[in-house]
Amino acid sequence: DNAIEACNRVDSNKVIQVKIISNSSYAIISIRNTYKPNENVTKGIEHGFGIKNMKGALKKYNTNLIVAEMSDWFQVTARIPKL
């Protein structure tokens, strides 16, 4: 939802990229989308819980969520071990 909402606020070049790379040991999942940097977004009481929830879920698998902001791109990436 966050990626879609962020793209809807961009005037042009609305892009969402999902990349999944997998081998026998782990999967890397990366989601990247265009967004307007430095724009305040108010979604009410649940604003900001998406990334917090993802970080909590990944903690169970002893891995981290990497969050990066690059110019007009926002990206989250996780390397998840296979069980």
Side-chain angles (χ1 to χ4, degrees):
D1 287 352
N2 290 353
I4 294 168
E5 290 175 17
C7 278
N8 284 334
R9 289 189 298 274
V10 173
D11 297 325
S12 62
N13 194 31
K14 299 174 189 235
V15 179
I16 297 174
Q17 298 173 337
V18 178
K19 194 181 289 187
I20 300 171
I21 302 169
S22 180
N23 68 21
S24 61
S25 303
Y26 58 85
I28 296 174
I29 302 170
S30 182
I31 302 169
R32 182 179 181 207
N33 61 274
T34 51
Y35 82 119
K36 281 188 176 181
N38 303 318
E39 182 177 272
N40 270 341
V41 178
T42 305
K43 284 176 34 178
I45 195 164
E46 292 184 15
H47 177 67
F49 283 109
I51 288 180
K52 187 176 181 180
N53 287 338
M54 286 188 286
K55 285 181 177 180
L58 291 170
K59 197 176 222 181
K60 295 177 189 176
Y61 301 102
N62 200 25
T63 191
N64 294 315
L65 184 70
I66 299 167
V67 178
E69 296 177 58
M70 303 154 284
S71 183
D72 56 350
W73 288 92
F74 183 85
Q75 180 172 331
V76 292
T77 305
R79 180 178 159 182
I80 303 168
K82 290 188 178 177
L83 302 176

